[in-house]
Amino acid sequence: MAVELFAEHGVQGTSLQMIADRIGVGKAAVYYQFRSKEDIVLAVIRPVFDDVARLVESAEALPQKESRRDAAIAGLVALMVALRNASFPFRRDRQIDRIVARHPELRAVTDRFYGLLLGPDHDDATRVAMTVAITGIYCCATDPTLQNIAAPELGAAMLDCFKLCVARVSAPVPPAANPPTPAATQPDAALRDWAPCR
C-alpha cells in the first residue's frame, strides 16, 4: 500500500496519515510498526537492495571484467522486469537518494554495482551511456503501454537495447573522412531547394 502511494506522490508528498488511510488503520498503528516515514521507505527498498547485493556477489565471482559486467547488466534487466509493476523502488526520487546516502550499507551496494557496470578505467562517455541505458530500461519496465508484452520478450528486448547503448561507447564509430557539407551552408542552397507551393 505504501509503495503505491510513494509511486503516486513521491516520498516527500506521502504523509503517514495517507499511509494509515490507505491501509485502513489509525496513524498510531503505523507509528507502532515504524518510527518514521523513512523506516517505511527502508522497509520497501531493502529487499531490492538485497537482490542487487546478491547479483553483485554472483557477478564479482566471475573471472573476467567483461563477463562480470555482462552478468550485472543481465541481472539488472531481469530485476527490472520482475519488479515491473512496482515502479517505486527505481524511481529517481530525490528523497530516496537522500535516505540511501544516510545508510552506508545501501551506498556500498550501489557503489559495488556501478563498479561492475563501469569498470575501473571508465570515462565520462561510459558513465553517460550507462545512465541512458539504465534510465531507458527503467522506463520500459514501468511504461504502461508496454504492459501487454510478456516478461521474457520484454526482458530480451531491453537487454538488447542496453547492450547496443553501451556498445556505442565501447566501439565508437570513426568520423567520416570528408563529411558532407550541410545543405544550409552550400551556396544558393535556399534558392535551389525552394519550390513554390502548388
Side-chain angles (χ1 to χ4, degrees):
M1 300 293 185
V3 175
E4 296 168 0
L5 288 169
F6 290 146
E8 291 168 19
H9 306 286
V11 172
Q12 192 70 35
T14 301
S15 68
L16 286 173
Q17 185 62 60
M18 291 166 68
I19 294 171
D21 291 344
R22 180 67 64 94
I23 297 171
V25 299
K27 194 157 79 168
V30 176
Y31 272 118
Y32 181 77
Q33 292 289 330
F34 301 97
R35 292 174 300 173
S36 66
K37 184 165 60 174
E38 180 167 325
D39 285 347
I40 298 173
V41 173
L42 288 170
V44 170
I45 66 175
R46 278 192 192 279
V48 178
F49 275 82
D50 290 344
D51 287 339
V52 174
R54 284 189 287 273
L55 167 60
V56 167
E57 288 173 10
S58 175
E60 285 178 340
L62 297 173
Q64 297 179 345
K65 179 178 73 173
E66 291 78 12
S67 59
R68 290 193 292 271
R69 188 181 77 166
D70 288 347
I73 292 171
L76 178 62
V77 169
L79 184 59
M80 290 282 193
V81 172
L83 297 174
R84 66 193 293 191
N85 295 317
S87 62
F88 159 68
F90 299 102
R91 178 166 289 171
R92 297 302 298 169
D93 187 315
R94 290 174 188 250
Q95 192 65 25
I96 293 176
D97 292 341
R98 292 186 190 104
I99 291 170
V100 170
R102 288 195 288 269
H103 292 270
E105 74 282 6
L106 301 182
R107 280 202 326 268
V109 171
T110 302
D111 291 345
R112 286 171 65 194
F113 180 72
Y114 274 96
L116 284 168
L117 290 179
L118 296 172
D121 52 355
H122 62 271
D123 57 12
D124 289 344
T126 303
R127 290 171 54 213
V128 170
M130 283 295 177
T131 299
V132 168
I134 291 169
T135 303
I137 63 170
Y138 163 76
C139 290
C140 286
T142 59
D143 186 341
T145 67
L146 302 179
Q147 290 297 311
N148 63 333
I149 302 176
E153 286 77 12
L154 179 65
M158 286 166 54
L159 185 57
D160 286 345
C161 290
F162 196 118
K163 289 180 177 178
L164 280 173
C165 187
V166 176
R168 296 284 301 187
V169 177
S170 302
V173 177
N178 294 311
T181 305
T185 64
Q186 295 175 7
D188 302 324
L191 292 175
R192 188 188 66 245
D193 296 336
W194 178 83
C197 296
R198 293 186 174 89

